[in-house]
Amino acid sequence: MTEEVPGIVEAAEPPTSSQSPADVPHNLETEQMTPTKYSIISRNGVGTTGKHIPLLVNLFEVAVNVPDTVFFQYSVAITFEDKQAVESKGIGRKVIDRLYQTYSSELGGKRFVYDGGKTLYTVGPLPLNKYEFKVLLEKSFTKRSAKSPGANGSLHEETKRSKHSFQSKTFMVEISFATKIPLQSIVISLKEVESDTNSQDALRVLDTILRQRAANCGCLLVRQSFFHDDSRNFNDVGAGVTAVSGFHSSFRSTQRGLSLNIDVSTTIIIKPGPVIDFLLSNQQVKEPRYIDWEKAKKMLKNLRVQATHHNQEFKISGLSEKPCIQQLFSMKVKNDDNNSRGQTVDITVYEYFAKHCGIELTSSAYLPCLDVGKPKRPVYLPLELCSLVSLQRYTKVLSLMQRASLVEKSRQKPQDRIKILKSAVGKCYDDDPVLAACGISIEKQLNLIEGRVLETPKLKVGKNDDCIPHNGRWNFNKKTLLQASHIDYWAVVNFSASCDTSYISRELIRCGMSKGINIERPYTLIEEEPQLRKSHPVARVERMFDLLASKLNREPKLILCVLPERKICDIYGPWKKKCLSEIGVVTQCIAPVKITNQYLTNVLLKINSKLGGINSLLAIEHSGHLPLIKDTPTMILGMDVSHNSLGRLDSPSIAAVVGSRHWPLISRYRASVRMQASKVEMIDALYKPLENGSDDGIIRELLLDFYDSSNGRKPTQFIVFRDGVSESQFEQVLTIELNQIIKAYQHLGEVNVPQFTVIVAQKKHHIKLFLPNGPENVPPGTVVDTTITHPRNYDFYMCAHAGMLGTSRPVHYHVLLDEIGFSADGLQNLIHSLSYVNQRSTIATSVVAPICYAHHAAAQMGQLLNFDDSSETGSSPASEGGIPIPELPRLHRNVRSSMFFC
């Protein structure tokens, strides 16, 4: 992979204010048990094995020439004159800018650093600790002529223009001193743990300086990423959605000192331009008469448009009930003597524009109007006179096609990225007055650091042969699988009108023979009846199973399902649900474009894994010599939470955990998946006590499977890989999730607390590694655990995979806990090796296999609900209160312990 464009918890005390409500499970229970206290460990050494190589990293050294600089933090409260709070987003910066222009002398001429909300900073103190100011914000508008519509009318430009007038709003701004933040705390924190909080505050001030600079340039701000309104940075990704490239920029503390991290960043916006063009593209129709206006209303709500007949922006609140040519509104017509008590008449929007604005509406006369007014005071604008304003974020879930297009169009070769980053740092930060006041200067060259390339792990395949990956890749040419399955009774079903299933089955049997898999001829081949192809997907699946039942005389070992489309097929969800949840049969879906030996081999790798076979093992695993694991029953867990899995932003999140089985192997896993409240990151079903005293949680299920598959041995140590959590949530992983695992463990009668090694894997970061003198990506197995890592905490970067396209992104591993006692080399080599055990792949994965498996399990189980928006679970959003979160269908006992996620 290269660039990558989501129970019961007991707590000793309520969550602290630092815990976001969306991070902590809602169904907290208490028990008479004191949770085990864990603390994040510090680094206990660095690795030494591997070949040392020079690397470049997109960090730029920062020099602090005035280290005794002190930032003064002030609280800001902005209200209207009547003391009502200002809720409108974006108004804060305008008010503070006007305040500075008006009252600069009273404030001692101090430059502000304003975060856009309730906080501002200065370098050194303001003359006073508290201020109250009255700020007048003026907004220009065009005065209406005598023929303008009345109060309930529409905002339109008049035929006779008058001079601009000014509409003013008065704001009250209160500024009060909050605290001091010394810049020196960043330097001190490199040596002292106690200064870490102050250093984070200082880094936040520096990041706010970067945000303010971008805001002043009119950029779209997305956390620490900034996007200019420049069409040269726009790329169409389909359906009215545009990818815009910009820059991520943030300060960070490293072992070397303060650095600036700059990276190319991409976000998604609504395609600017005529509203009608956007709707046609978004709904993928050719003419306006085919537009679904209910969908359009939802899509357009709260977007900003500019009226092309005059220079004014509006926010869309809805659509008119009738077409423009029929939609009436009331307007006042003054008498000839200019008496304001004129007659009120009803007029259509179409007629108003023709008579009073001289605009003949052509394309939108029979289309709804945009409503840009208030709920009880509609204001109508014809569609053809409105254009969507640029840099409006698209917040819906992207389709698979859009995601693929986004990844393709945002790729950059390593050397191209280096050039862009050097250019950016040279242009952007030299002239910032606040940075200059701090004495901050930024180096113009990428940091040169040292990394190591770990030795590639050796694999064992069939016939006890060795397989040595090259550049993170291997294949099964002239090799057989380590433990191949025997497929004696199976069936093929075909939902595709273009595939020859007889040919596919013959080729699969032939390829299987060369890989050591004995595949008999399929018992039956069933073609879908042509008249069913336009039926509902569930009906098509049910009919296919009726046909299967009539043909088969016993349960098949495998059903090969040929789908009509790749990735976006609506048959996939109901088919998987029927097989995995209701019937309990292993199934493999395919949608071949071209049937090659490599394609068939990849399919067989998945099939063999699902049927309980083993494709390959690490040589050290095969020989039973895994350090610290071979002598002590050890369970490896991979944990992940997927958000927006059901294709809606309000959909429940899906938590997936995979656990290793058949100890001392580390290549075989079982998955357990649950649904939980939307956007909740902490997994709340690891331990789930029921009223009858039993436990229905994830960990119990995985522990029992470990016991059954490991000759009655219970794990006494756990290696936990957690994906998708931010640094602010690390403590919660240890206090919430780890204690759930312990409770599930002790619920089975164990008194002792097992030992844990807990590692968080982060993929969503902006550190990139480059070769100084080569166009290619860094070699697979590259690891960096010095210079650019945290000053004290135990973390490192690893690029286990070979990046063939774009620029490789290393995984940032954080070791939160290590009671098992791995050496730095031992842990890094274990993690590197776990990137070579993914049974569905013949390339090293970017992140360890247990996390890959957890992600695949969550995605596949999400498909079991994603096919029917009208279903009981599909239509109700995840609740945070009394309404229970819908449960995922449970896997059938026949496939529960299989690697169905391969």
Side-chain angles (χ1 to χ4, degrees), residues 42 57 106 151 254 288 341 421 475 488 496 506 572 608 636 658 665 671 714 766 873 881 898:
S42 298
V57 62
E106 286 91 331
T254 66
R341 297 178 182 177
L421 297 180
N475 60 60
D488 56 351
S496 171
R506 286 197 305 271
Y572 185 84
N608 191 53
I636 299 178
V658 300
L665 299 185
K714 301 175 183 178
H766 288 276
T873 53
S898 73

Side-chain angles (χ1 to χ4, degrees), residues 13 22 34 52 98 155 168 240 313 317 375 408 455 459 462 484 566 642 647 659 697 722 739 855 884-885 892:
E13 55 189 21
T34 303
H52 292 249
R98 176 52 58 91
L155 293 178
S168 301
E313 281 188 21
S317 58
E408 175 67 30
E455 183 180 354
L459 303 177
R566 296 180 69 240
S642 293
R722 182 63 162 93
N739 274 291
H855 183 75
I885 304 300
H892 192 280

